[in-house]
Amino acid sequence: MSTSLTSAPPSGLSARLNRMQARIADAHATYAFKVALVTVLSLYAAFLLDLDHTYWALITIPLIVRPDGGSTVWRSTGRLGGTLLGCASGFLLAVLFGQMPETVIIAVAIFIFMVAFFGQMQAGLDVYAYGSAGLVALIIVIDTGPNVDAAFSLALARTTETAIPVIVVFIVMLVVFPRSISGQAADALRTARKATLSLTGRILRGELGPSLGYEPEVLPAISAANTALRALAYERTRRNHLRPRMTAVMNAINRVAIRAETGRFALNHVPDEADDAEIRDARLRLADAIDRLPGDDVGAAEFLAAADEMARVAETVHPRQVLPPAGGDLSDRALRLGAAFYRMRQLALAVEDLMRAEAALVDPSLPYEKMAPMARRYFDPIGALEFAARPTLVFLVLTTVWIATAWPGGQILALIGSAITLIFPSIVPRALRIGGAITMAKGLACGGVFALVLMMLLPNVEGFGALALILGGAVFAIFYVTREPQHLPLAIGSVLAIAVGFQPQNTPSFSPIGLVNTLVTLTLMPVTVVSALTLIFPEDAGWVRRHLRRATDDLLGKAARRELGDNKLLEQFIDVLADLGLSVSPNDPDGVHLRIRARAALIASGEFYHQERLEGGGHLPARLAAYGPRLRSTVLEAAQRRSGPAECVVFGEMRGTLRTVFADSDLDEEARVDALRYTAVGELLAAILSTGQLSRMREAGDAS
């Protein structure tokens, strides 16, 4: 796939220059240098405008800079949009309620709640824009206080301070040895493709039981690829035109993964499927064909040849292969073979689509399926309410303590503690939040040392050049060791300590005592974040189980009622499995059951949409199509069972109706094939219900 990211590979001197530029752009030192340059230029612009709180410009930097251009522009755009929203909102709040302390606190708390709540509707870095709005509004309202006449000037100054680094980031990160995220997107696609096809081959060979291979092996790669593709949309490079084709590859990978998971379920739970010799031979033929698929470094012709081979394999498992003569009896084995062939054909066709999408990625002249990257997030209103309650309550508690005690450091803690509690969980994955807060505390200590050294050195030098050299060197050192995402809290804590503790200004005033007091105050910030995460609606194992169960119920119901399209439903199921499913501990049997339940619901929902397509195809006999509503309601009823398998009379009736339909000698082949497919869907739904995987709780002694 690496060859597909350039339309015409350069040669000679141009190729050597491109490789050298790529190596420089990828170097850790280059990234650290660019962040240091952003810091120095942002500070210089703030000094030119004679802004008195330049540390807001510095605090913005670690929250928006990333090594690649796409993620940086995405973060910066979100920060800029959030800044403008926060500016307008903060100004209005300050003017309307600034002279009424209790009222303005309540008004700001409501605003924080609203941005946190509505931010949970967004996916990826879009949620950061809402957090930024809350931060800027907090800055303006708290700094304005009762001095309403100064509200506009303060709003303008604070907005300028936070907007300056965004503008500088756009200039520096996209001009000085720019690094595209396209390579990261290609790597993520390559990883997802490899993991999906490897999992598919093992499933077909019966080497993988009903374990959780899909979630830990494939889902992280799919999520990483979708995030990278969305970030790539923010780049305006010659490679960006390939993003729609890369998205087509990603969507094809999604379909292969779901088809493989459906096959694994049938292999492990449909009676006699694993032991039938003809089904096993067909599975092995398909597995061998997948093994022969080309790698990611070949041309379009090889991919197209592989697609043609998969099409031929798909024809060998067409359900018509097992159809009895017109008017003949349909045996139990023929029904079992037809259902298995139908699932294998769907998988083979999905792999064929993947190969054709890969060919279109290599050769831009080939057509492709135009689809947007997965961006739809599953919205959980209760979860959003709980998420929004944390920063709201933290703000109310901290401002109450600050006002009641008249503590000089209370303003900083109320402002930054509330803002970090709002923003931090929106940009840090759930599993890393507590550890990230502890890492941020280490960063505060590290930044405090840097700030103390700066205070000792700068009185002995003069001019902005000396400040730029010393401060830029400190920032370079911090970001040289914090390039990876898991180290970002360390960078945030370090820059925060330098910005608030050192507070560089046009007229410097160095106070070691003030620095110590500031650091003591800032050390309470990680404590605040950890306390909020662990005490206010803690997202522990019980929380994950409750929300995973509720999300599964909701999405399964929407699928049965056909309220969402197939792709939208898949997006939301993947979000639920990646967010909540991967948060389940392997040592939590109840959580593991709910994780498997969500995957079974995803398979069942996909079968609902197969039913819908067959019902609308015009060939399915009406006697079978009439079972559709009953099948869906039966699945929904089974999903509300407390535990254990469900009795499903309707599936037996449907099987009998199928035999009656096949006895009709006037039924054409297309109608008989669709009838067999439709019943195959019903058979798989019956198998899902018979396992008890859709029940709300696991049976005693059942490890799913």
Side-chain angles (χ1 to χ4, degrees):
M1 197 173 299
S2 57
T3 58
S4 65
L5 290 176
T6 55
S7 54
S11 59
L13 178 60
S14 178
R16 290 195 294 272
L17 289 176
N18 285 345
R19 286 194 296 268
M20 182 176 68
Q21 181 178 352
R23 285 196 297 269
I24 294 174
D26 288 341
H28 284 205
T30 302
Y31 170 59
F33 169 75
K34 290 193 290 186
V35 179
L37 184 59
V38 168
T39 302
V40 170
L41 292 178
S42 299
L43 198 59
Y44 183 71
F47 283 178
L48 281 180
L49 297 175
D50 199 25
L51 300 174
D52 55 352
H53 285 67
T54 57
Y55 57 81
W56 288 119
L58 300 184
I59 292 173
T60 300
I61 292 170
L63 295 173
I64 61 176
V65 292
R66 295 306 305 145
D68 62 86
S71 297
T72 297
V73 174
W74 192 359
R75 284 177 182 263
S76 301
T77 302
R79 182 58 186 258
L80 189 58
T83 296
L84 296 177
L85 174 61
C87 169
S89 304
F91 173 72
L92 288 176
L93 290 172
V95 170
L96 294 175
F97 308 111
Q99 293 183 332
M100 298 174 284
E102 296 82 1
T103 305
V104 76
I105 289 175
I106 295 174
V108 172
I110 293 173
F111 181 75
I112 291 174
F113 183 89
M114 289 175 60
V115 294
F117 180 83
F118 288 110
Q120 290 302 291
M121 296 181 180
Q122 309 303 316
L125 296 176
D126 293 343
V127 65
Y128 176 57
Y130 288 81
S132 299
L135 168 62
V136 175
L138 273 171
I139 296 171
I140 292 171
V141 172
I142 289 181
D143 280 358
T144 300
N147 188 14
V148 177
D149 293 337
F152 179 78
S153 60
L154 282 172
L156 182 61
R158 299 301 170 264
T159 303
T160 304
E161 289 158 0
T162 54
I164 282 174
V166 174
I167 298 171
V168 174
V169 160
F170 275 119
I171 297 172
V172 172
M173 303 301 286
L174 300 181
V175 174
V176 181
F177 298 113
R179 180 177 182 266
S180 174
I181 199 174
S182 56
Q184 181 179 332
D187 289 341
L189 279 177
R190 188 179 299 112
T191 301
R193 177 186 188 270
K194 181 178 179 180
T196 300
L197 293 179
S198 172
L199 184 69
T200 301
R202 283 181 288 158
I203 289 172
L204 290 170
R205 288 190 165 83
E207 299 171 357
L208 200 64
S211 63
L212 298 175
Y214 171 65
E215 287 91 333
E217 294 180 23
V218 177
L219 263 184
I222 288 176
S223 298
N226 280 314
T227 300
L229 289 173
R230 291 196 66 198
L232 186 58
Y234 288 85
E235 293 186 0
R236 291 295 178 263
T237 67
R238 63 186 178 87
R239 297 178 177 182
N240 186 46
H241 73 282
L242 290 174
R243 185 182 69 93
R245 297 176 182 272
M246 298 170 77
T247 302
V249 173
M250 188 68 258
N251 287 324
I253 291 173
N254 287 334
R255 288 193 291 268
V256 172
I258 299 305
R259 297 286 176 265
E261 283 301 312
T262 303
R264 174 164 65 171
F265 182 91
L267 187 62
N268 287 286
H269 298 292
V270 173
D272 301 324
E273 180 154 322
D275 300 326
D276 190 290
E278 192 168 351
I279 295 177
R280 183 177 62 251
D281 291 342
R283 285 193 287 105
L284 293 179
R285 285 199 307 273
L286 181 53
D288 291 340
I290 290 176
D291 287 344
R292 292 192 298 271
L293 294 177
D296 49 31
D297 55 353
V298 300
E302 287 82 356
F303 284 124
L304 291 176
D308 291 339
E309 181 182 2
M310 293 307 302
R312 289 191 292 270
V313 172
E315 283 304 306
T316 67
V317 289
H318 198 292
R320 72 166 64 95
Q321 304 288 341
V322 298
L323 285 180
D329 293 334
L330 182 70
S331 66
D332 288 341
R333 184 170 184 274
L335 175 58
R336 184 171 66 247
L337 277 175
F341 279 14
Y342 173 58
R343 286 187 288 272
M344 282 186 276
R345 176 175 167 78
Q346 291 293 314
L347 175 56
L349 293 176
V351 177
E352 179 194 353
D353 290 342
L354 173 59
M355 293 297 100
R356 297 197 187 281
E358 296 261 23
L361 180 59
V362 175
D363 184 357
S365 67
L366 294 174
Y368 66 96
E369 184 181 10
K370 295 183 179 180
M371 297 183 69
M374 286 191 174
R376 185 174 298 274
R377 181 173 187 175
Y378 173 73
F379 178 62
D380 178 0
I382 296 177
L385 288 171
E386 295 171 346
F387 182 92
R390 291 195 201 100
T392 305
L393 293 176
V394 166
F395 171 74
L396 290 173
V397 170
L398 293 181
T399 50
T400 300
V401 171
W402 166 38
I403 294 173
T405 62
W407 175 32
Q411 178 179 356
I412 294 177
L413 183 60
L415 178 54
I416 299 180
S418 302
I420 292 295
T421 306
L422 171 63
I423 293 176
F424 193 73
S426 68
I427 60 176
V428 178
R430 179 180 296 105
L432 303 178
R433 288 173 190 169
I434 301 298
I438 296 172
T439 302
M440 188 165 55
K442 297 177 182 177
L444 288 170
C446 176
V449 173
F450 276 117
L452 184 60
V453 172
L454 287 169
M455 282 189 177
M456 295 170 58
L457 291 178
L458 288 180
N460 301 314
V461 296
E462 294 183 0
F464 182 79
L467 172 63
L469 184 63
I470 298 173
L471 180 60
V475 173
F476 177 90
I478 292 169
F479 281 86
Y480 186 78
V481 298
T482 60
R483 172 182 171 124
E484 301 302 325
Q486 63 267 26
H487 299 146
L488 184 59
L490 182 65
I492 294 174
S494 299
V495 175
L496 186 62
I498 293 174
V500 181
F502 178 57
Q503 294 193 15
Q505 301 177 33
N506 270 329
T507 304
S509 65
F510 305 120
S511 173
I513 298 298
L515 172 62
V516 172
N517 290 335
T518 299
L519 291 177
V520 170
T521 302
L522 290 179
T523 55
L524 296 176
M525 186 186 62
V527 176
T528 300
V529 174
V530 172
S531 299
L533 293 174
T534 55
L535 298 178
I536 305 174
F537 300 112
E539 297 181 4
D540 53 14
W543 186 93
V544 171
R545 288 195 296 268
R546 289 194 303 274
H547 287 266
L548 182 55
R549 184 183 293 113
R550 187 184 300 114
T552 302
D553 289 341
D554 183 34
L555 289 177
L556 186 62
K558 288 179 178 178
R561 295 187 297 271
R562 300 175 178 177
E563 294 178 1
L564 292 174
D566 197 5
N567 289 321
K568 292 180 180 179
L569 186 76
L570 178 60
E571 284 181 347
Q572 296 194 27
F573 258 117
I574 287 179
D575 181 63
V576 167
L577 282 167
D579 180 33
L580 297 172
L582 291 180
S583 298
V584 171
S585 169
N587 299 320
D588 177 10
D590 293 327
V592 169
H593 168 76
L594 291 173
R595 183 169 161 179
I596 292 176
R597 178 180 188 253
R599 185 173 7 128
L602 170 58
I603 295 171
S605 299
E607 297 305 295
F608 288 162
Y609 282 97
H610 284 312
Q611 282 187 325
E612 182 179 358
R613 283 191 286 270
L614 290 169
E615 289 169 1
H619 298 286
L620 183 68
R623 283 174 290 175
L624 281 174
Y627 282 97
R630 288 184 61 192
L631 291 176
R632 292 187 285 274
S633 63
T634 300
V635 171
L636 292 181
E637 290 171 6
Q640 297 305 311
R641 289 179 62 87
R642 180 175 177 82
S643 64
E647 295 182 4
C648 311
V649 178
V650 63
F651 297 103
E653 296 177 4
M654 182 178 177
R655 201 175 300 124
T657 301
L658 177 68
R659 292 191 174 91
T660 303
V661 166
F662 265 76
D664 183 357
S665 59
D666 294 331
L667 204 65
D668 60 29
E669 183 181 79
E670 195 67 38
R672 288 188 294 142
V673 169
D674 277 4
L676 186 57
R677 289 170 173 165
Y678 197 77
T679 309
V681 170
E683 293 291 306
L684 185 64
L685 293 175
I688 291 175
L689 270 56
S690 68
T691 63
Q693 288 189 6
L694 277 183
S695 61
R696 300 180 64 79
M697 301 181 68
R698 70 185 181 96
E699 258 186 318
D702 175 29
S704 291

